[in-house]
Amino acid sequence: MADAARLGDEPGPSRVAFARDWAATIAPTAALSTAPPSTAPDDRLADLLTGLTATLHAAVHDDGSPAAAREVGRGLVEHGLVAAETLERTLAFVGEHLAAHVETRRLMAALGALAAGFTDALCQRSLDEQEQNHELRSTRSAESAARTGEAKFRAVFQTSALAITVSDADGVILDCNDAMLAMLDRTSEELIGSLGRDLVHPDERHVISRIAQLLHAGQEHVRIETRLVRADGELVNVLIALALLRDDDGAPAYYVTMIESVDEIRALQKQLVRQSLHDMQTGLANRSQFVGWLEGAVGSRGPTTLALVVFDLDGFRVVNDAYGHEVGNRILTAVAGHLRSVFDGIGQLARIGPDEFAVLIPDPMDAATVVALAESAVELFAEPVWVDDDGIGVTASVGIVVRPARGADAAELLRCVDLTVRWAKDDGKAQWALYDKERDQRERARMRLAASIAGGLEQGEFRVDYEPVHSLADGALLAVEARLRWDHPTEGVLDPQELVSLSTCTGMAARLGKWAIAQACADAGRWHAEFGDAAPVLSMDLTARECQEPELVATVRRALRESGLPARLLQFELSEQLPALINEDQVDELTYLAEHGVRLVLDQVGGGNVPIDRLRRIPLTAVKFQGSPVYGLAEGAGRLEESAAVALLTWSRTLGLPLFAAGVRTEFEARRLVELGVTGAQGPLFGSALLTSDEVRGILGKS
C-alpha cells in the first residue's frame, strides 16, 4: 500500500491510488451526509478524497501554503466526516505515506494546518447547528427540525475526537463530551457546574479572561494555545477554539469551546521525524540522517579532520537466498550490534544501504587507529549467528577515508569512500582499503575515457589497423591481424589492450566488436576485389563477450555479405580461456561459422588451461602460440623454459593443425620455431608498427 499511496507531482493514477488508500483507512469511521445515490459508498468516499488529495498536494508542494492543508481539514467536516477517529486516522495516514517524499518541516506544518482546519470547521458546524436550532424554535413547524438538528449536534458532540464543552455566559460548564473527560481524567459530575477557567493553569487564566472580552466585543471566535490541568495534576498542552453564541437579542448566551491536545500532535510529529531518519530494522540512523551528519561535519564549526568508514557485507545475498530475509534481518541486527560495541562513543553509526553500514568519526587520532577499529569490527562479524544447526557469519569489504573536514564536500567524500569499498572488493573482498588520491585520479581519468567511448565512435575517432603475419618459409604475407585503435583527440592513439579493458568495463565491448568486424571485413573485401587469391586472410580476436552475443552469426554473415569477402578469408582467434567460458549453444554458433568457411584459431598465451573435451567440440583450423612457448626458445633461455616450450609445440603437432607464433623477436626464435613445425609468425622481428588499410594494399601491390 505504501507504494500505491504516493502523492505524485502530476494528476493521475498515483493520486487516485493515494485517495483510495486514504478512503480505505478512514472508511470504518466515515459516514457521508450527501453523495449521489447512483454510486457505491466506497466510491463516493474515494471520489471525495481524490479532490482533497489535489488540495493536499498543493499544501506540501514547494510553492504551497499550509492554508491549503487547512482546507483539507475543513473539507472532511463539510462532507460529514466528523467521527471520533477520522482525524486521527487521517493524520497518521498522511504522515506515514508522505514522510519519505516531503520535507519534514513542510509535512509537519501541513499536518498541523489540517488538524486546525478540522477543528475550526467542526466548531463552525456546531455553531451553525445551534443557530439553526434557535431559528427553528421560532415557529411551531420547526420543532421537529430542531430536535433533529439537536440530535445531530449531540451525535457530533459525543463522538468527536476533539474535546468540547458548552458553558453559560458566566463560564460555568453546562455540558462536555467524553473526549473532554478522557483528556482531563475527570468525571462529568466533576466538570459540569464548575468554572471552565479553573481548568486552565493558574499562570494562564488571565488569557482566558482577555479572550472572553474580545468575544463580547464582537469577535466571532478565538484560537489560542494554553495548558490545562488534569485530575492528577499533570499538565496538558492544548489548542483551544472558543466561540460565543448569542441569543435572539444579541446578548451573550453560551460559550462553545473545542479543545485539541497538542501533545498528541507533537508525539506524532516526533514519531514521523524518527521514522524518516532511522532504519526500523537495526535502530541505527538511516542514510538521510547520516548525510546530514556529514554535511554538518564539513562545515566551519565541524571537526578539523574526520574519518569515514563504510562496511559493505560481502555476498549478503547468499544469506537471504539460502535462509530467507528473516534470517538475513537477524544477521543485519547482529552486525549493527557489533558496530555499536566498537564505535559507540567514538563515531556516529548509520545503515546507509541494504547491506552497507557507515561510521563518521570526528577528529580521529590517525589513520592507523581507524584501521584498527575497522579490523576489530570485521573480526566480530565472523562470530556465527546460529540458525538451527548452522552458524552463519559474514565478512565485509571496508572503505576508509581520512581527510581534513572543514571546507570538504560531503558528496565527494561519499564518492571517495564508495570507490574505496570497490577497491577492497576488487582486491579480493574481506579486507579494508584506504583511500588513495593518486589512484583515484588515475581511475577517474580512465573511467572518463571509458565513458566517452560512445562519443568517440560517433565522432569517427576509431579505426582498424593491422599486424602482418608472415610465412617463416619465404616471408610471404599470409594474414593480417586486425587491431582496433582509438585515436583520441587528447590522449593520442590508445593501446589495443587498454581499449579492450575500457570497453569491457562499460559494456561497450559488444558494440565495438560489431563495428570492428564490419570495418575490417570492408577493408579485406576491397583487398580481395583488387588482388584476388593474393589477398591475405583477415584475422580478428573474438572475445567470450562477443561469443555471448545472440546475434554473432548474423553480424558476421552481414559483414561478409556487405563486404564481398569470402568466408574462407575470415579467421577468428579464440583465447585459451574462451572454451571454458562459453556454453554449448555458443559452441554450436562457432561450429556453424566454421561449417560455412570461417576459420577458428586457438590462441594460447600460456600454453595450457584448455579443457580437452571442449577443445574437441570446437572445429579449429590452426593453433597460435605466444608468450612463454615462444620466449622459451630464445637464445640464452633457461633449460626449464626451453624444455616446456619444446614439449608443448611437439605435442601440438599431434593435432594435425597448422601452428603459428606471435611476439617473435629474433631470427634465432624464428629458426627454432620452424624446427618445431611452426609455419607462420608475427611480431617485432617483422616490424613493430601496425599497418593501415592503405599500407596493407601497398604491400600487396608490390608483391
Side-chain angles (χ1 to χ4, degrees), residues 127 130 134 137 166-169 174 243-247 251-256:
L127 295 176
Q130 284 290 330
H134 283 289
R137 292 191 191 98
V166 178
S167 308
D168 63 17
L174 303 177
L244 176 63
L245 298 182
R246 300 177 182 273
D247 59 20
Y254 302 101
Y255 291 106
V256 176

Side-chain angles (χ1 to χ4, degrees), residues 505-526:
C505 71
T506 59
M508 287 291 294
R511 182 179 174 187
L512 281 179
K514 290 181 180 179
W515 184 88
I517 289 173
Q519 182 64 39
C521 285
D523 290 342
R526 286 190 290 270

Side-chain angles (χ1 to χ4, degrees), residues 56 104 116 134 202 229 260 273 313 357 390 476 576 687 703:
L56 182 60
T104 301
H134 283 289
V229 182
E260 181 181 14
V273 170
L313 302 186
F357 297 83
D390 297 333
E576 62 185 358
S703 62

Side-chain angles (χ1 to χ4, degrees), residues 32-45 47:
L32 284 172
S33 58
T34 59
S38 60
T39 57
D42 289 346
D43 292 335
R44 294 179 352 226
L45 182 56
D47 291 342

Side-chain angles (χ1 to χ4, degrees), residues 589-663:
E589 290 191 342
L590 292 178
T591 302
Y592 177 89
L593 291 175
E595 289 174 347
H596 286 75
V598 177
R599 304 182 185 191
L600 301 178
V601 176
L602 182 66
D603 186 356
Q604 291 194 265
V605 177
N609 303 322
V610 181
I612 298 300
D613 59 336
R614 184 60 61 86
L615 184 59
R616 290 171 179 162
R617 295 288 310 280
I618 299 177
L620 298 174
T621 56
V623 178
K624 175 180 171 181
F625 296 94
Q626 58 180 305
S628 57
V630 176
Y631 302 153
L633 302 176
E635 191 172 7
R639 294 181 60 186
L640 181 61
E641 290 80 4
E642 181 183 6
S643 62
V646 171
L648 177 62
L649 291 170
T650 302
W651 175 84
S652 298
R653 290 165 64 182
T654 64
L655 297 174
L657 299 173
L659 303 182
F660 294 87

